[in-house]
């Protein structure tokens, strides 16, 4: 018999609109599952049952009033959506994955949280993240590690590992995540989910933690393309003070609309080498990309293999900016000793990056952005989409990437683990991770599709076409 968490987020919302399902009942269902299963998967840092129940009761009252009055409700009204613990929720602890901020309680909502409230969603709590979201695994000093429900000995990835674990384990129907170097796509790959990193400026980072590098954005993690597109509609839109703004969809269109549209015949470049010297993809990750390319050809798309020359510039420039991002995190001086070794290492290096070096790193990334934009948009010879593995390795055992004794070596390993995802943060392109492949060990292996700047719509339509051809949402881990 189907249970509530077997329903997609949009199916839950439709049942709420029709009066067949109560937001209170749905919220209680997920809170019970969190209480029973979260110790195994490490999805949450903070659970907020009291405020979730209050939001659910309000959503139930609003849904009843809308039915009486014949009013439309927002598409995800009454659906639970947890928030990553790097984003501020007024009155709720925000640790940012750090023991140094274990008692930090913001007084304001981030814009993404304001939008989630306005959409009538229910916040179950704050999902697990590594310290300041810096590494691609979710292990910190404030909560248990986030584990992929497909193998509880292995990491859910990061830095939105808690969000990925929550959705993959059926502790939430979909989740808010953040992505500065792959942090939505990495857990999507490790947890067998669909994740969207939007274009730079599509989702506001304000009003407090604006990202001057342009690397970081919020986005959705979900089991289906349609659910993710609906959550992107909630999160997307400019706010006063934003340093970047992505081109808007045509009036009246939504990203959810594009999950129901055919993408047309596309020209796709399959990168056969990683854009990071020394990064060699695992055979399972190559197989996932090759199978995706074959499926795309079957669906009528043109796929052409393309190799990029080894160039250390991207990795070096991205690393400089990552070090500066670490250095400017708001850590009380009296608590700096509580930071983890990798964070201390990156902050020490970031504090030594001078203004000219910071500007040169930004200019280098803008040069890469222009080269990629030209390659995607050149009439007659350009590509619509770039296909790569999402990661260079299958999900790794918890602790496999950490090296507290040598954080410099750890960061080098991190770069080799994630050679494909940072490029789209550098360029600002939209990118998705699609769960098309599971290896012989039963572990999910994602493939990445990257599109033109501002063109999430094509990626959503293409991903929905792939999902229809090879459905994945019915595959569920044992913990489900």
């Amino acid at each position: 018999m189907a249970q509530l968490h077997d329903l997609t987020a949009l199916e839950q919302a439709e049942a709420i609109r029709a009066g067949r399902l109560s937001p209170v009942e749905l919220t209680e269902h997920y809170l019970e599952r969190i209480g029973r299963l979260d110790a195994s998967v490490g999805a949450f840092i903070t659970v907020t049952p009291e405020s979730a129940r209050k939001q659910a009761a309000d959503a139930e009252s609003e849904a009843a009033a809308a039915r009486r009055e014949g009013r439309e409700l927002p598409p995800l009204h009454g659906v639970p959506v947890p928030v990553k613990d790097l984003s501020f929720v007024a009155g709720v602890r925000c640790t940012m994955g750090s023991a140094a901020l274990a008692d930090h309680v913001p007084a304001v909502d981030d814009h993404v949280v304001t939008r989630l409230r306005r959409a009538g969603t229910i916040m179950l709590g704050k999902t697990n993240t590594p310290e300041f979201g810096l590494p691609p695994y979710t292990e910190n000093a404030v909560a248990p590690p986030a584990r992929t429900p497909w193998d509880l000995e292995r990491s859910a990835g990061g830095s939105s590992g808690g969000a990925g674990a929550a959705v993959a384990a059926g502790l939430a129907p979909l989740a808010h995540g953040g992505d500065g170097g792959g942090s939505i796509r990495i857990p999507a790959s490790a947890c067998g989910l669909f994740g969207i990193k939007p274009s730079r400026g599509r989702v506001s980072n304000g009003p407090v933690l604006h990202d001057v590098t342009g690397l970081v954005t919020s986005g959705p993690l979900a089991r289906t393309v349609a659910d993710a597109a609906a959550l992107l509609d909630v999160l997307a839109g400019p706010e006063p003070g934003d340093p970047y703004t992505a081109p808007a969809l045509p009036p009246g269109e939504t990203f959810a609309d594009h999950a129901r549209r055919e993408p047309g015949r596309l020209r796709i470049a399959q990168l056969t080498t990683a854009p990071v010297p020394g990064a060699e993809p695992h055979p399972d990750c190559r197989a996932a990309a090759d199978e995706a390319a074959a499926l795309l050809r079957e669906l009528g798309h043109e796929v052409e293999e393309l190799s990029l020359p080894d160039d250390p510039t991207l990795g070096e420039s991205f690393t400089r900016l990552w070090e500066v991002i670490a250095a400017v995190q708001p850590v009380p001086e009296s608590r700096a000793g509580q930071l983890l070794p990798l964070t201390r290492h990156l902050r020490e290096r970031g504090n030594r990056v001078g203004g000219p070096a910071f500007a040169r790193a930004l200019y280098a990334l803008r040069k890469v952005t222009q080269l990629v934009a030209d390659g995607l948009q050149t009439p007659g010879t350009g590509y619509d989409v770039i296909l790569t593995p999402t990661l260079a390795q299958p999900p790794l055992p918890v602790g496999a990437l950490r090296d507290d004794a040598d954080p410099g070596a750890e960061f080098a390993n991190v770069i080799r683990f994630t050679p494909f995802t940072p490029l789209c943060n550098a360029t600002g392109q939209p990118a998705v991770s699609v769960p098309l492949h599971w290896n012989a060990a039963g572990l999910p292996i994602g493939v990445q599709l990257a599109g033109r700047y501002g063109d999430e719509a094509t990626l959503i339509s293409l991903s929905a076409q792939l999902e229809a051809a090879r459905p994945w949402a019915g595959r569920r881990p044992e913990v489900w």
Side-chain angles (χ1 to χ4, degrees):
M1 181 182 296
Q3 300 185 72
L4 291 180
H5 61 279
D6 293 324
L7 301 174
T8 69
L10 287 172
E11 288 170 343
Q12 292 172 356
E14 193 281 326
I16 288 169
R17 285 194 297 275
R20 299 191 307 273
L21 176 61
S22 156
V24 172
E25 178 188 5
L26 185 61
T27 298
E28 291 294 347
H29 177 81
Y30 282 113
L31 289 174
E32 187 276 332
R33 287 184 63 80
I34 292 168
R36 181 162 46 88
L37 299 173
D38 189 45
S40 299
V41 298
F44 286 86
I45 289 179
T46 301
V47 182
T48 55
E50 292 184 6
S51 61
R53 290 180 174 117
K54 172 65 166 61
Q55 289 178 336
D58 291 345
E60 185 167 321
S61 298
E62 178 64 15
R67 286 193 296 273
R68 287 195 306 270
E69 299 163 12
R71 289 189 286 110
E72 287 293 320
L73 288 168
L76 292 176
H77 181 87
V79 175
V81 182
V83 173
K84 184 177 178 180
D85 203 36
L86 294 182
S87 292
F88 288 2
V89 178
V92 177
R93 182 175 70 141
C94 183
T95 71
M96 306 186 82
S98 178
L101 297 178
D103 55 1
H104 169 232
V105 179
V108 298
D109 284 340
D110 276 348
H111 286 146
V112 290
V113 175
T114 300
R115 287 176 173 271
L116 287 168
R117 292 188 194 276
R118 191 183 304 149
T121 66
I122 315 302
M123 193 190 79
L124 298 169
K126 305 295 294 298
T127 55
N128 205 354
T129 184
E131 195 162 61
F132 301 115
L134 295 171
Y137 55 78
T138 302
E139 301 163 34
N140 56 45
V142 296
R147 303 171 185 271
T148 175
W150 294 94
D151 180 346
L152 294 176
E153 298 299 315
R154 295 179 183 269
S155 172
S159 62
S160 304
V167 177
L171 308 188
L174 70 179
H176 160 267
D179 194 314
S183 292
I184 287 172
R185 293 157 287 160
I186 294 164
S189 180
C191 295
L193 302 173
F194 179 70
I196 304 176
K197 184 208 84 72
S199 297
R200 178 177 294 141
R202 176 70 66 201
V203 180
S204 174
N205 286 327
V208 179
L209 300 178
H210 288 291
D211 169 41
V212 297
T213 68
L215 299 177
V216 181
T217 185
S218 288
L221 278 153
R223 287 164 48 215
T224 71
V225 174
D227 282 358
L231 183 52
L232 182 57
D233 282 324
V234 171
L235 299 174
E239 296 286 351
D242 286 352
Y244 310 100
T245 301
L249 288 172
E253 289 196 6
T254 67
F255 291 113
D257 293 335
H258 287 275
R260 298 184 288 268
R261 295 182 185 175
E262 290 296 318
R265 188 171 188 270
L266 301 175
R267 192 158 186 258
I268 298 168
Q270 180 186 3
L271 293 190
T272 57
T273 57
V276 173
E280 185 65 26
H282 187 279
D284 289 347
C285 300
R286 289 186 178 278
D290 289 342
E291 287 184 12
L295 179 56
L296 287 163
R297 291 188 179 99
E298 289 175 16
L299 293 170
H301 304 290
E302 179 184 353
V303 182
E304 179 179 325
E305 292 188 354
L306 186 68
S307 61
L308 296 179
D310 279 352
D311 183 359
T313 303
L314 173 63
E316 292 171 357
S317 299
F318 188 92
T319 298
R320 294 293 85 73
L321 298 183
W322 210 242
E323 291 165 348
V324 171
I325 287 173
V328 300
Q329 296 302 316
V331 179
E333 190 61 35
S334 62
R335 297 190 174 184
Q338 296 177 272
L339 297 175
L340 296 176
L342 178 64
T343 304
R344 292 200 302 269
H345 167 79
L346 292 173
R347 285 169 68 86
E348 288 165 3
R349 291 182 61 86
N351 283 321
R352 296 199 297 268
V353 176
F358 181 68
R360 282 193 294 271
L362 287 172
Y363 280 126
L365 294 194
R366 297 300 176 264
K367 180 180 178 181
V368 171
T369 300
Q370 192 63 58
L371 289 172
V372 171
D374 291 345
L376 287 171
Q377 298 188 16
T378 303
T381 61
Y383 297 98
D384 301 296
V385 173
I386 298 172
L387 164 67
T388 73
T390 302
L391 294 169
Q393 297 288 328
L396 294 175
V398 171
L401 283 174
R402 284 188 66 171
D403 188 347
D404 289 350
D406 190 349
E410 174 183 330
F411 196 71
N413 289 334
V414 160
I415 294 295
R416 287 190 288 271
F417 178 59
T418 60
F420 299 103
T421 54
L423 175 63
C424 295
N425 299 86
T427 62
Q429 295 167 257
V432 301
S433 183
V434 187
L436 289 173
H437 184 82
W438 271 255
N439 69 8
L443 296 173
I445 311 288
V447 295
Q448 177 176 253
L449 301 172
R452 295 188 180 99
Y453 176 72
D455 192 16
E456 290 92 334
T458 294
L459 294 181
I460 289 169
S461 294
L462 179 60
S463 299
Q465 184 185 51
L466 291 168
E467 183 181 26
R470 191 172 295 171
W472 58 72
R475 299 189 68 148
R476 293 161 185 168
E478 186 175 343
V479 71
W480 191 267

